[in-house]
Amino acid sequence: MPPSATRRAVRGTTYRPSRANPREAAPPGVQFSIFSSPLGALLLAASSHGICYVALGHEPRALERQLRETFPESVPTEPRAPLSHWAAEILRLLAGAAPTMKLPLDPLGTSFQRLVWEELRRIPRGATRSYREIAERIGRPTAARAVAQACARNPIAVVVPCHRVVRDSGELGGYRWGVERKQALLNAERAAAETSRPRNS
């Protein structure tokens, strides 16, 4: 069953209402900034409604080129206002920390993709789920392959944690921003979760 037009907050994130047809057009007025991170360059882009694209890579110019290819009609520009406040939160997530603020998201995708991405937000920090488990949780038990494709097309790295989805065997599988980064993210989350876990006196 597709998500309702009014989106609920999921693990520290708010969504604006869905477009009538998510395939219609990219969000207008996309602005972006590129930051340094422990996992390479971090590109953060936002529309007037919220974060629409987060990517990791080695070369900032390559990330900017990918952004422009993703939103060719939006003419991405350097931000009129800094995006550093949101970037600071994403850098915390990269280090495995728990969310501390609500990040408004505006991902471009189909209703099915957005349903998958919302379910990814429910995976506990440092834990993993298989593509089949995600398919079952959204009420589409035969759609594991479509879930994998939705993960591969996730436009918002880390905040929408497709790195927490693995194969049935437990193997990491693929990752849009590199399997090494996927492993590093999981390691950081598990270490941070272990550190924050209450210890018996």
Side-chain angles (χ1 to χ4, degrees):
M1 184 175 182
S4 62
T6 302
R7 301 219 167 231
R8 59 187 182 279
V10 179
R11 201 177 295 278
T13 299
T14 58
Y15 291 82
R16 76 166 172 132
S18 302
R19 300 176 183 84
N21 180 356
R23 293 180 180 274
E24 282 182 354
V30 171
Q31 300 176 51
F32 73 95
S33 287
I34 298 177
F35 304 86
S36 296
S37 87
L39 297 182
L42 169 72
L43 185 148
L44 167 61
S47 70
S48 58
H49 297 285
I51 296 170
C52 60
Y53 193 80
V54 176
L56 295 162
H58 296 295
E59 296 293 335
R61 289 185 179 179
L63 291 177
E64 182 178 342
R65 183 170 60 253
Q66 292 166 14
L67 174 70
R68 295 182 183 280
E69 291 171 353
T70 302
F71 301 117
E73 298 177 3
S74 295
V75 191
T77 61
E78 291 291 343
R80 292 184 293 273
L83 302 176
S84 56
H85 187 52
W86 290 342
E89 176 72 358
I90 295 173
L91 289 172
R92 290 187 72 261
L93 300 181
L94 277 174
T100 61
M101 62 181 290
K102 290 183 178 180
L103 293 174
L105 299 190
D106 187 28
L108 181 66
T110 66
S111 294
F112 177 81
Q113 288 169 342
R114 291 163 71 103
L115 183 62
V116 170
W117 298 337
E118 286 190 12
E119 186 60 37
L120 301 187
R121 298 285 300 160
R122 297 186 177 90
I123 304 174
R125 185 169 49 113
T128 59
R129 299 284 185 269
S130 71
Y131 300 111
R132 177 180 53 80
E133 287 175 314
I134 297 298
E136 291 172 348
R137 286 171 182 267
I138 64 173
R140 300 284 295 275
T142 62
R145 181 170 294 184
V147 166
Q149 292 173 345
C151 290
R153 293 171 182 166
N154 169 29
I156 303 178
V158 187
V159 184
V160 178
C162 55
H163 61 274
R164 296 176 188 162
V165 188
V166 299
R167 294 174 178 167
D168 285 344
S169 63
E171 295 176 308
L172 288 182
Y175 187 54
R176 182 172 179 175
W177 296 282
V179 176
E180 296 82 4
R181 290 190 178 93
K182 183 173 187 174
Q183 185 67 74
L185 287 167
L186 289 173
N187 290 346
E189 289 182 347
R190 288 165 179 164
E194 181 65 26
T195 300
S196 62
R197 184 176 302 162
R199 298 184 182 277
N200 295 328
S201 57

